[in-house]
Amino acid sequence: MNALAVLVPLALGLGLMALAFFGWTLRNGQYEDPDGAAARILFDDNQETPKCPPSDSP
């Protein structure tokens, strides 16, 4: 019973800290461009990307 008196407030405190951290990440824009980071990992920064020729379609 004494363990519950310690563990329940500890679990609630950790849950509130996790919720606060999640809110902080939302405010700072951490989830704004999830696909961009996945695409950027595929390209090498040292090489120039090839230019596409302009298309003549209307």
Side-chain angles (χ1 to χ4, degrees), residues 36 38-47 49:
R40 279 193 300 271
I41 195 72
L42 299 175
F43 299 111
D44 189 14
D45 290 337
N46 297 333
Q47 296 178 351
T49 57

Side-chain angles (χ1 to χ4, degrees), residues 11-56:
L12 289 174
L14 287 175
L16 288 174
M17 283 177 36
L19 186 62
F21 182 71
F22 179 69
W24 177 76
T25 59
L26 282 176
R27 281 193 314 269
N28 288 328
Q30 295 291 320
Y31 306 109
E32 292 296 321
D33 188 20
D35 295 329
R40 279 193 300 271
I41 195 72
L42 299 175
F43 299 111
D44 189 14
D45 290 337
N46 297 333
Q47 296 178 351
E48 291 183 19
T49 57
K51 304 288 185 212
C52 294
S55 64
D56 294 332

